[in-house]
Amino acid sequence: MVDWNLAVATATRLVRPGPEVSRDEARAVVAELRRHAKVSEEHVRGFTRLGTDETHDTPVLVVDRPGWIRANVAGFREILKPLLDKMQQRRGGTPGGAVLGAVGGKVTGVELGVLLSFLASRVLGQYETFAPAARDLPAGENGGGRLLLVAPNIVHVERELDVEPHDFRLWVCLHEETHRTQFTAVPWLRDHLEGEIQSFLAETDVDPMAFLERLRDAAQSLVGGRPEGEEDDGGRSLVELVQTPAQREILGRLTAVMSLLEGHADYVMDGVGPDAVPTVAEIREKFQQRRAKGASRLDMALRKLLGLDAKLRQYRDGERFVRAVVEQVGMDGFNRVWTSPNTLPTKAEIAEPADWIARVHRRSEP
């Protein structure tokens, strides 16, 4: 259904080169990011009051853009396997199914490669929750993930913002380390998230031609962008383009969880900042300006189609939720969010933190 090797080859060929650095500079950046990742563990645990020694089970990998692409293709392949196996079985019973599968797999592989080439130059770091281990991409045991830091992208942004490089690198590591702590300190979180994703995929129309046609339409819209002069019509993201109505409820729960995780990481990176990152205020101000300003018209259209605008809202809305709850009930009170899936906030509660406090802490609004 998807030629994964072709997806990697396409993305690697199309991805833009990173910033120019000497070999010695590159080695120094890699070494510093590894040190910062280690130091971030103690900072994040102390601030959040979460964390166990299991954090050491998840490796930290400093990668370039092609390395990020390979890691994400491996993750996609793992999480989509049940759905693609089901689609493959259904196609196998149709006339010419094998030929159609070979052709469709290559087309889809190229289109996935195009999407990944766009993203690979933008991601600073990532905690891969569903990361299968490979020889060049180790992962934690017992289903543990891995933490990726994309060195060329971090260098590119720190230069673009003209901020203190050492502070910026630690600031980024604090955000990604928070994600690693979330999943290693909350044992049920990974399985819960995987269950929600698999439920979402199980609702997908398993007719291979219908699904691939919808995915192809989405990718072609992405590649083409919006014609010059055409007004914004409130177009949907890639996820919205390929979902069915039955998936919207699941997507709402996933959105709430991701808003919590991203907002919590933003809250922590800024909360730890004043003690660990002297220039945190300058970094945050410039980084927010960069997020708000965006880039070219085409780049903004691509971000919208991929759902990156929604991700930026998750950072903002989730951080507001975390801040409001901590101000009302303290960090220990906020940490009740990690008790079970039942204590996770709903999408509505992300927007109204007082409702979550009233439900989980059994308090009435004044």
Side-chain angles (χ1 to χ4, degrees), residues 196 240 243 247-260 310 313-314 317-318 321 341 343-353 355-356 359:
E196 292 282 57
E240 293 170 319
Q243 74 174 274
Q247 294 169 311
R248 288 173 186 159
E249 183 178 344
I250 302 171
L251 188 61
R253 294 197 300 268
L254 281 169
T255 299
V257 174
M258 297 311 297
S259 296
L260 171 69
R313 288 194 297 273
Q314 288 173 5
D317 297 345
F321 171 83
T343 56
L344 290 173
T346 64
K347 190 175 179 181
E349 288 171 341
I350 288 288
E352 297 290 342
D355 291 347
W356 179 87
R359 176 172 68 86

Side-chain angles (χ1 to χ4, degrees), residues 140-155:
E141 298 177 0
N142 303 318
R146 56 180 165 238
L147 194 154
L148 305 178
L149 298 169
V150 191
N153 295 351
I154 293 172
V155 172

Side-chain angles (χ1 to χ4, degrees), residues 256-268:
V257 174
M258 297 311 297
S259 296
L260 171 69
L261 298 180
E262 296 294 358
H264 184 231
D266 260 16
Y267 178 79
V268 171

Side-chain angles (χ1 to χ4, degrees), residues 204-227:
T204 301
D205 185 349
V206 297
D207 175 29
M209 294 304 294
F211 178 79
L212 290 178
E213 183 177 348
R214 287 154 68 191
L215 181 61
R216 194 160 296 130
D217 287 346
Q220 287 173 353
S221 298
L222 173 66
V223 175
R226 183 182 293 112

Side-chain angles (χ1 to χ4, degrees), residues 33-79:
L33 287 173
R34 287 177 175 153
R35 290 196 303 271
H36 284 333
K38 184 65 178 176
V39 169
S40 294
E41 290 184 38
E42 183 177 349
H43 286 309
V44 170
R45 290 183 191 184
F47 185 81
T48 65
R49 303 174 195 173
L50 296 172
T52 67
D53 290 339
E54 294 177 14
T55 322
H56 298 288
D57 182 43
T58 55
V60 176
L61 306 180
V62 181
V63 298
D64 57 10
R65 290 169 178 175
W68 181 87
I69 289 167
R70 290 194 301 273
N72 275 264
V73 166
F76 285 149
R77 192 170 188 169
E78 181 78 7
I79 199 68

